[in-house]
Amino acid sequence: MADAKAAVAEDADIEEGAEAAPEGAKKKFALPSMKVLMIGGAALVVLLAAGGGYYFISHKHEAAKVEASTVKPAVFVDLPEVLVNLSNSGSERTQYLKIKIVLELPDQPMVAQITPIMPRVMDAFQTYLRELRPSDLDGSAGLYRLKEELTRRVNASIAPNRINAVLFKEIVVQ
C-alpha cells in the first residue's frame, strides 16, 4: 500500500511538473515577446511624433509663405485736421485739442465707398472729441483708448465696411 501511495504521489508530481513546465515555458516565451512589443510600441510612438512634428512644421512654413504672398499693402486716407475745445469743469481755463488723423483701409476700392460718407465720420469725431476732458488724454493708455473709440465710431459710421485702424499724425492739447 505504501508503494501505491508513492506511485500516486509520483504520478501527481509528474502531472504537476508537466503542467508547470509548459507554464514556465509560456512565461519564458511571453516575457521576451512582451519586451519586444513594448520596445516596438515605443519606437512607433517616437516615429509618429517625429512624423507629426515634421508635418506641422512643414505646413506652418507653407501657410506662412501663402500668407506672405497674399498680404496686400494698406491704403491710407488723410482726414481734415480737427480742432475742438475739450470739456472742462467750469473753473478751469478752456483747453483745445488739435488732431490730425489717418484711416488705414484694407484695400483701394474702399476709398471710393467711404468718401461719400466722410461727413458722417467727421461728425462722429467732432461729437466724441468735444466730450473729452484733458485728463482722458493723459498718457499712452488715454491715447490708446481714444484710438480704439475712434476706430469703433468710424466702423459704426461706414458699416458694413470696416477700417483697419485709426492712426494719429499729430495730437496737440493746449
Side-chain angles (χ1 to χ4, degrees), residues 1-173:
M1 198 171 243
D3 290 335
K5 285 183 182 180
V8 171
E10 282 182 87
D11 287 338
D13 289 339
I14 292 172
E15 288 178 10
E16 286 178 18
E19 289 176 5
E23 286 179 7
K26 285 183 183 177
K27 286 182 182 179
K28 289 181 183 178
F29 179 73
L31 189 60
S33 66
M34 187 61 110
K35 286 181 184 178
V36 170
L37 286 176
M38 290 178 64
I39 292 171
L44 181 64
V45 167
V46 169
L47 288 175
L48 288 174
Y54 175 76
Y55 175 78
F56 285 116
I57 289 172
S58 66
H59 281 287
K60 184 177 179 181
H61 289 297
E62 288 176 15
K65 289 177 186 176
V66 169
E67 184 177 309
S69 65
T70 60
V71 173
K72 297 182 232 175
V75 178
F76 299 100
V77 175
D78 287 327
L79 296 182
E81 182 178 286
V82 178
L83 178 64
V84 296
N85 57 328
L86 297 172
S87 177
N88 61 12
S89 62
S91 63
E92 299 176 13
R93 64 180 173 87
T94 303
Q95 289 187 306
Y96 296 95
L97 171 68
K98 177 182 167 183
I99 189 167
K100 290 184 183 177
I101 298 173
V102 176
L103 301 179
E104 182 181 343
L105 307 176
D107 53 12
Q108 187 64 36
M110 195 168 163
V111 174
Q113 294 173 354
I114 68 166
T115 302
I117 307 171
M118 202 54 69
R120 187 181 303 156
V121 171
M122 293 305 296
D123 178 62
F125 282 176
Q126 289 280 346
T127 55
Y128 176 69
L129 293 174
R130 289 183 57 84
E131 296 172 3
L132 293 176
R133 297 180 302 272
S135 61
D136 293 336
L137 301 171
D138 287 344
S140 62
L143 292 179
Y144 180 77
R145 284 190 302 269
L146 175 62
K147 181 184 284 196
E148 292 299 312
E149 182 63 27
L150 292 177
T151 302
R152 189 188 69 75
R153 288 177 182 262
V154 170
N155 284 331
S157 297
I158 65 170
N161 296 323
R162 295 189 59 80
I163 64 167
N164 292 343
V166 168
L167 307 173
F168 298 134
K169 285 179 87 172
E170 179 181 349
I171 298 176
V172 178
V173 178

